[in-house]
PDB file of all heavy atoms in Angstrom:
ATOM      1  N   GLY A  29      24.037 109.055 105.995  1.00  0.00           N
ATOM      2  CA  GLY A  29      25.128 108.305 105.361  1.00  0.00           C
ATOM      3  C   GLY A  29      24.605 107.396 104.272  1.00  0.00           C
ATOM      4  O   GLY A  29      23.596 106.703 104.452  1.00  0.00           O
ATOM      5  N   GLY A  31      26.547 105.030 102.500  1.00  0.00           N
ATOM      6  CA  GLY A  31      27.367 103.861 102.214  1.00  0.00           C
ATOM      7  C   GLY A  31      26.504 102.597 102.165  1.00  0.00           C
ATOM      8  O   GLY A  31      25.270 102.676 102.225  1.00  0.00           O
ATOM      9  N   PRO A  32      27.127 101.447 102.067  1.00  0.00           N
ATOM     10  CA  PRO A  32      26.358 100.203 101.956  1.00  0.00           C
ATOM     11  C   PRO A  32      25.372  99.995 103.112  1.00  0.00           C
ATOM     12  O   PRO A  32      24.276  99.461 102.898  1.00  0.00           O
ATOM     13  CB  PRO A  32      27.444  99.125 101.966  1.00  0.00           C
ATOM     14  CG  PRO A  32      28.665  99.810 101.421  1.00  0.00           C
ATOM     15  CD  PRO A  32      28.573 101.230 101.891  1.00  0.00           C
ATOM     16  N   ALA A  33      25.736 100.422 104.331  1.00  0.00           N
ATOM     17  CA  ALA A  33      24.839 100.179 105.474  1.00  0.00           C
ATOM     18  C   ALA A  33      23.600 101.061 105.383  1.00  0.00           C
ATOM     19  O   ALA A  33      22.462 100.577 105.547  1.00  0.00           O
ATOM     20  CB  ALA A  33      25.584 100.408 106.783  1.00  0.00           C
ATOM     21  N   GLU A  54      23.597 112.737 102.962  1.00  0.00           N
ATOM     22  CA  GLU A  54      25.001 112.364 102.805  1.00  0.00           C
ATOM     23  C   GLU A  54      25.866 113.627 102.822  1.00  0.00           C
ATOM     24  O   GLU A  54      25.646 114.555 102.029  1.00  0.00           O
ATOM     25  CB  GLU A  54      25.175 111.600 101.479  1.00  0.00           C
ATOM     26  CG  GLU A  54      26.601 111.417 101.012  1.00  0.00           C
ATOM     27  CD  GLU A  54      27.519 110.756 102.035  1.00  0.00           C
ATOM     28  OE1 GLU A  54      27.188 109.656 102.514  1.00  0.00           O
ATOM     29  OE2 GLU A  54      28.568 111.350 102.365  1.00  0.00           O
ATOM     30  N   ALA A  55      26.885 113.616 103.683  1.00  0.00           N
ATOM     31  CA  ALA A  55      27.757 114.789 103.818  1.00  0.00           C
ATOM     32  C   ALA A  55      28.566 115.063 102.552  1.00  0.00           C
ATOM     33  O   ALA A  55      28.849 116.212 102.217  1.00  0.00           O
ATOM     34  CB  ALA A  55      28.714 114.587 104.992  1.00  0.00           C
ATOM     35  N   SER A 134      35.777 108.076 104.015  1.00  0.00           N
ATOM     36  CA  SER A 134      35.420 108.597 102.687  1.00  0.00           C
ATOM     37  C   SER A 134      34.155 109.414 102.837  1.00  0.00           C
ATOM     38  O   SER A 134      33.259 109.026 103.590  1.00  0.00           O
ATOM     39  CB  SER A 134      35.129 107.462 101.702  1.00  0.00           C
ATOM     40  OG  SER A 134      36.270 106.672 101.484  1.00  0.00           O
ATOM     41  N   SER A 135      34.073 110.516 102.097  1.00  0.00           N
ATOM     42  CA  SER A 135      32.869 111.355 102.132  1.00  0.00           C
ATOM     43  C   SER A 135      32.354 111.538 100.721  1.00  0.00           C
ATOM     44  O   SER A 135      32.862 112.384  99.967  1.00  0.00           O
ATOM     45  CB  SER A 135      33.183 112.735 102.728  1.00  0.00           C
ATOM     46  OG  SER A 135      33.195 112.675 104.127  1.00  0.00           O
ATOM     47  N   ASN A 136      31.381 110.765 100.376  1.00  0.00           N
ATOM     48  CA  ASN A 136      30.807 110.843  99.019  1.00  0.00           C
ATOM     49  C   ASN A 136      29.557 109.975  99.021  1.00  0.00           C
ATOM     50  O   ASN A 136      29.411 109.103  99.877  1.00  0.00           O
ATOM     51  CB  ASN A 136      31.807 110.291  97.990  1.00  0.00           C
ATOM     52  CG  ASN A 136      32.311 108.903  98.366  1.00  0.00           C
ATOM     53  OD1 ASN A 136      33.268 108.767  99.142  1.00  0.00           O
ATOM     54  ND2 ASN A 136      31.669 107.871  97.837  1.00  0.00           N
ATOM     55  N   GLY A 139      29.829 106.321 100.063  1.00  0.00           N
ATOM     56  CA  GLY A 139      30.800 106.105 101.132  1.00  0.00           C
ATOM     57  C   GLY A 139      32.004 105.312 100.647  1.00  0.00           C
ATOM     58  O   GLY A 139      32.380 105.358  99.461  1.00  0.00           O
ATOM     59  N   MET A 140      32.639 104.600 101.576  1.00  0.00           N
ATOM     60  CA  MET A 140      33.798 103.778 101.207  1.00  0.00           C
ATOM     61  C   MET A 140      33.424 102.675 100.228  1.00  0.00           C
ATOM     62  O   MET A 140      34.285 102.097  99.562  1.00  0.00           O
ATOM     63  CB  MET A 140      34.395 103.121 102.457  1.00  0.00           C
ATOM     64  CG  MET A 140      35.455 103.922 103.126  1.00  0.00           C
ATOM     65  SD  MET A 140      36.400 102.880 104.251  1.00  0.00           S
ATOM     66  CE  MET A 140      37.438 104.133 104.997  1.00  0.00           C
ATOM     67  N   GLY A 141      32.120 102.398 100.169  1.00  0.00           N
ATOM     68  CA  GLY A 141      31.652 101.365  99.240  1.00  0.00           C
ATOM     69  C   GLY A 141      31.836 101.754  97.779  1.00  0.00           C
ATOM     70  O   GLY A 141      31.635 100.932  96.884  1.00  0.00           O
ATOM     71  N   THR A 145      37.336  97.033  97.893  1.00  0.00           N
ATOM     72  CA  THR A 145      37.745  95.884  97.079  1.00  0.00           C
ATOM     73  C   THR A 145      36.576  94.945  96.826  1.00  0.00           C
ATOM     74  O   THR A 145      36.552  94.239  95.817  1.00  0.00           O
ATOM     75  CB  THR A 145      38.882  95.122  97.802  1.00  0.00           C
ATOM     76  OG1 THR A 145      39.903  96.068  98.116  1.00  0.00           O
ATOM     77  CG2 THR A 145      39.457  94.019  96.941  1.00  0.00           C
ATOM     78  N   GLY A 146      35.643  94.901  97.761  1.00  0.00           N
ATOM     79  CA  GLY A 146      34.451  94.087  97.549  1.00  0.00           C
ATOM     80  C   GLY A 146      34.522  92.670  98.101  1.00  0.00           C
ATOM     81  O   GLY A 146      33.646  91.857  97.827  1.00  0.00           O
ATOM     82  N   ALA A 147      35.531  92.365  98.908  1.00  0.00           N
ATOM     83  CA  ALA A 147      35.603  91.023  99.503  1.00  0.00           C
ATOM     84  C   ALA A 147      34.509  90.887 100.560  1.00  0.00           C
ATOM     85  O   ALA A 147      34.402  91.735 101.452  1.00  0.00           O
ATOM     86  CB  ALA A 147      36.977  90.794 100.121  1.00  0.00           C
ATOM     87  N   VAL A 250      24.637 116.072 108.398  1.00  0.00           N
ATOM     88  CA  VAL A 250      23.753 116.037 109.561  1.00  0.00           C
ATOM     89  C   VAL A 250      24.580 116.444 110.779  1.00  0.00           C
ATOM     90  O   VAL A 250      25.603 115.812 111.091  1.00  0.00           O
ATOM     91  CB  VAL A 250      23.132 114.645 109.748  1.00  0.00           C
ATOM     92  CG1 VAL A 250      22.261 114.626 111.010  1.00  0.00           C
ATOM     93  CG2 VAL A 250      22.303 114.283 108.521  1.00  0.00           C
ATOM     94  N   GLY A 290      26.992 106.477 109.575  1.00  0.00           N
ATOM     95  CA  GLY A 290      28.007 107.424 109.120  1.00  0.00           C
ATOM     96  C   GLY A 290      29.432 106.942 109.250  1.00  0.00           C
ATOM     97  O   GLY A 290      30.327 107.761 109.333  1.00  0.00           O
ATOM     98  N   LEU A 460      41.169  99.476 107.235  1.00  0.00           N
ATOM     99  CA  LEU A 460      39.935 100.219 106.924  1.00  0.00           C
ATOM    100  C   LEU A 460      38.695  99.533 107.491  1.00  0.00           C
ATOM    101  O   LEU A 460      37.577  99.822 107.098  1.00  0.00           O
ATOM    102  CB  LEU A 460      39.770 100.423 105.409  1.00  0.00           C
ATOM    103  CG  LEU A 460      40.947 101.123 104.738  1.00  0.00           C
ATOM    104  CD1 LEU A 460      40.896 100.961 103.226  1.00  0.00           C
ATOM    105  CD2 LEU A 460      40.968 102.602 105.092  1.00  0.00           C
ATOM    106  N   GLY A 494      26.401 100.081 110.395  1.00  0.00           N
ATOM    107  CA  GLY A 494      27.783 100.086 109.909  1.00  0.00           C
ATOM    108  C   GLY A 494      28.668  99.189 110.753  1.00  0.00           C
ATOM    109  O   GLY A 494      28.205  98.515 111.683  1.00  0.00           O
ATOM    110  N   ASN A 495      29.957  99.203 110.440  1.00  0.00           N
ATOM    111  CA  ASN A 495      30.880  98.277 111.103  1.00  0.00           C
ATOM    112  C   ASN A 495      30.979  98.516 112.607  1.00  0.00           C
ATOM    113  O   ASN A 495      31.307  97.603 113.364  1.00  0.00           O
ATOM    114  CB  ASN A 495      32.279  98.400 110.487  1.00  0.00           C
ATOM    115  CG  ASN A 495      32.257  98.114 108.996  1.00  0.00           C
ATOM    116  OD1 ASN A 495      31.401  97.385 108.508  1.00  0.00           O
ATOM    117  ND2 ASN A 495      33.192  98.698 108.262  1.00  0.00           N
ATOM    118  N   ASN A 505      36.692  90.700 106.522  1.00  0.00           N
ATOM    119  CA  ASN A 505      36.157  91.976 106.032  1.00  0.00           C
ATOM    120  C   ASN A 505      34.717  92.136 106.544  1.00  0.00           C
ATOM    121  O   ASN A 505      33.903  91.224 106.393  1.00  0.00           O
ATOM    122  CB  ASN A 505      36.163  92.015 104.508  1.00  0.00           C
ATOM    123  CG  ASN A 505      37.396  91.368 103.915  1.00  0.00           C
ATOM    124  OD1 ASN A 505      37.607  90.176 104.101  1.00  0.00           O
ATOM    125  ND2 ASN A 505      38.200  92.113 103.217  1.00  0.00           N
ATOM    126  N   THR A 507      32.020  94.314 105.894  1.00  0.00           N
ATOM    127  CA  THR A 507      30.876  94.998 105.290  1.00  0.00           C
ATOM    128  C   THR A 507      29.671  94.079 105.114  1.00  0.00           C
ATOM    129  O   THR A 507      28.534  94.493 105.335  1.00  0.00           O
ATOM    130  CB  THR A 507      31.282  95.627 103.944  1.00  0.00           C
ATOM    131  OG1 THR A 507      32.483  96.372 104.147  1.00  0.00           O
ATOM    132  CG2 THR A 507      30.210  96.538 103.401  1.00  0.00           C
TER     133      THR A 507
HETATM  134  P1  FAD B   1      30.727 104.174 104.674  1.00  0.00           P
HETATM  135  O1  FAD B   1      30.799 103.411 103.412  1.00  0.00           O
HETATM  136  O2  FAD B   1      31.991 104.719 105.221  1.00  0.00           O
HETATM  137  O3  FAD B   1      29.681 105.347 104.454  1.00  0.00           O
HETATM  138  C1  FAD B   1      29.402 106.263 105.474  1.00  0.00           C
HETATM  139  C2  FAD B   1      28.928 107.564 104.833  1.00  0.00           C
HETATM  140  O4  FAD B   1      28.338 108.366 105.848  1.00  0.00           O
HETATM  141  C3  FAD B   1      30.051 108.387 104.207  1.00  0.00           C
HETATM  142  O5  FAD B   1      29.768 108.637 102.855  1.00  0.00           O
HETATM  143  C4  FAD B   1      30.052 109.660 105.020  1.00  0.00           C
HETATM  144  O6  FAD B   1      30.343 110.823 104.256  1.00  0.00           O
HETATM  145  C5  FAD B   1      28.636 109.725 105.559  1.00  0.00           C
HETATM  146  N1  FAD B   1      28.524 110.510 106.793  1.00  0.00           N
HETATM  147  C6  FAD B   1      29.272 110.413 107.906  1.00  0.00           C
HETATM  148  N2  FAD B   1      28.861 111.288 108.827  1.00  0.00           N
HETATM  149  C7  FAD B   1      27.835 111.987 108.280  1.00  0.00           C
HETATM  150  C8  FAD B   1      27.014 113.049 108.745  1.00  0.00           C
HETATM  151  N3  FAD B   1      27.147 113.568 109.968  1.00  0.00           N
HETATM  152  N4  FAD B   1      26.063 113.531 107.902  1.00  0.00           N
HETATM  153  C9  FAD B   1      25.887 112.997 106.661  1.00  0.00           C
HETATM  154  N5  FAD B   1      26.661 111.988 106.186  1.00  0.00           N
HETATM  155  C10 FAD B   1      27.614 111.486 106.982  1.00  0.00           C
HETATM  156  N6  FAD B   1      35.279  96.184 103.303  1.00  0.00           N
HETATM  157  C11 FAD B   1      35.023  94.883 103.067  1.00  0.00           C
HETATM  158  O7  FAD B   1      34.164  94.292 103.736  1.00  0.00           O
HETATM  159  N7  FAD B   1      35.668  94.200 102.087  1.00  0.00           N
HETATM  160  C12 FAD B   1      36.655  94.763 101.339  1.00  0.00           C
HETATM  161  O8  FAD B   1      37.226  94.124 100.472  1.00  0.00           O
HETATM  162  C13 FAD B   1      36.969  96.129 101.597  1.00  0.00           C
HETATM  163  N8  FAD B   1      37.937  96.740 100.879  1.00  0.00           N
HETATM  164  C14 FAD B   1      38.142  98.074 101.039  1.00  0.00           C
HETATM  165  C15 FAD B   1      39.093  98.703 100.222  1.00  0.00           C
HETATM  166  C16 FAD B   1      39.245 100.074 100.283  1.00  0.00           C
HETATM  167  C17 FAD B   1      40.279 100.740  99.406  1.00  0.00           C
HETATM  168  C18 FAD B   1      38.419 100.846 101.153  1.00  0.00           C
HETATM  169  C19 FAD B   1      38.524 102.347 101.170  1.00  0.00           C
HETATM  170  C20 FAD B   1      37.510 100.224 101.993  1.00  0.00           C
HETATM  171  C21 FAD B   1      37.370  98.826 101.965  1.00  0.00           C
HETATM  172  N9  FAD B   1      36.448  98.161 102.769  1.00  0.00           N
HETATM  173  C22 FAD B   1      36.222  96.825 102.583  1.00  0.00           C
HETATM  174  C23 FAD B   1      35.670  98.851 103.813  1.00  0.00           C
HETATM  175  C24 FAD B   1      34.240  99.127 103.313  1.00  0.00           C
HETATM  176  O9  FAD B   1      34.279 100.021 102.240  1.00  0.00           O
HETATM  177  C25 FAD B   1      33.420  99.645 104.480  1.00  0.00           C
HETATM  178  O10 FAD B   1      33.365  98.615 105.444  1.00  0.00           O
HETATM  179  C26 FAD B   1      31.994 100.014 104.079  1.00  0.00           C
HETATM  180  O11 FAD B   1      31.953 100.953 103.069  1.00  0.00           O
HETATM  181  C27 FAD B   1      31.256 100.532 105.320  1.00  0.00           C
HETATM  182  O12 FAD B   1      29.955 100.920 104.948  1.00  0.00           O
HETATM  183  P2  FAD B   1      29.148 102.010 105.781  1.00  0.00           P
HETATM  184  O13 FAD B   1      27.915 102.270 105.035  1.00  0.00           O
HETATM  185  O14 FAD B   1      29.034 101.559 107.181  1.00  0.00           O
HETATM  186  O15 FAD B   1      30.108 103.292 105.834  1.00  0.00           O
END
Side-chain angles (χ1 to χ4, degrees):
E54 167 55 55
S134 297
S135 279
N136 52 275
M140 270 197 186
T145 307
V250 178
L460 304 165
N495 302 333
N505 321 63
T507 311

